[in-house]
Amino acid sequence: MQRESILIVDDEPLSSRVLSQLITLQYRMKVCKSDKEALRIQSDAPLPGLGLFNIIMPAMDGDETLATIKQKQALRNLRSYDLYS
């Protein structure tokens, strides 16, 4: 059984590391430090089924990053969660 892929987008390294360690055994992880990195790798196989986004980031916030990612047909149904809500 193939593990589902999760995309984590957070400019705080400690937060990303903790999240990765908590869920890495059950899921494949794609960790990005910025919106630009997320937009580059988000379409790499396997496609993520869930995105965890830091809403407050320096350039594009998590909501904007998610909206841009969801413009791709293959990721239109990406489930998402705000890391700090």
Side-chain angles (χ1 to χ4, degrees):
M1 182 162 136
Q2 189 174 23
R3 297 179 296 165
E4 185 172 16
S5 179
I6 296 179
L7 174 65
I8 297 175
V9 184
D10 194 339
D11 60 330
E12 294 293 328
L14 180 60
S15 298
S16 297
R17 193 169 35 249
V18 169
L19 281 169
S20 295
Q21 290 174 352
L22 288 173
I23 55 181
T24 194
L25 295 177
Q26 295 177 351
Y27 301 94
R28 291 181 179 196
M29 309 303 298
K30 292 183 180 185
V31 180
C32 302
K33 298 176 199 160
S34 70
D35 56 322
K36 289 180 184 177
E37 186 179 355
L39 296 174
R40 268 197 312 272
I41 74 159
Q42 47 83 22
S43 59
D44 294 347
L47 293 175
L50 175 67
L52 303 176
F53 296 85
N54 181 349
I55 293 300
I56 302 169
M57 293 193 297
M60 186 185 300
D61 69 31
D63 288 332
E64 293 171 308
T65 304
L66 176 62
T68 303
I69 287 172
K70 284 188 157 193
Q71 289 177 4
K72 293 192 181 270
Q73 181 66 32
L75 293 167
R76 185 156 290 156
N77 295 320
L78 177 72
R79 298 179 317 265
S80 63
Y81 186 76
D82 170 6
L83 291 174
Y84 299 102
S85 62

